[in-house]
Amino acid sequence: MSSSDDLAGGKKTSWPEVVGLTIKEAKEIILKDKPDADIVMVPVGSAVTEDLRPNRVRIFVGTVAETPHVG
């Protein structure tokens, strides 16, 4: 059993394989494993609550992909 599995039931609780993928790709992979996931985008460094919600999956994002510009 890997660290990404829940010790109680063998259900996945983390997805290290999505690091570096687009948000869309990451969501698709997570939803294949956990169709009832409530996926939440969170800026890196943001404060988050420590309450456990079995269906919530946080994706921490923070890389600027394109040059910001006026317009």
Side-chain angles (χ1 to χ4, degrees):
M1 185 173 294
S2 73
S3 62
S4 65
D5 292 332
D6 173 36
L7 295 176
K11 295 180 182 177
K12 242 179 141 160
T13 59
S14 66
W15 290 263
E17 68 273 21
V18 305
V19 173
L21 300 180
T22 66
I23 292 170
K24 180 182 177 187
E25 291 168 329
K27 282 182 173 183
E28 289 172 356
I29 290 169
I30 293 166
L31 288 170
K32 281 182 188 176
D33 292 331
K34 188 170 184 61
D36 63 338
D38 175 19
I39 300 174
V40 180
M41 301 304 122
V42 181
V44 171
S46 294
V48 294
T49 60
E50 294 187 26
D51 62 315
L52 177 62
R53 295 186 187 174
N55 292 335
R56 179 179 57 207
V57 177
R58 292 181 177 130
I59 298 178
F60 291 90
V61 296
T63 302
V64 177
E66 294 183 11
T67 304
H69 61 352
V70 174

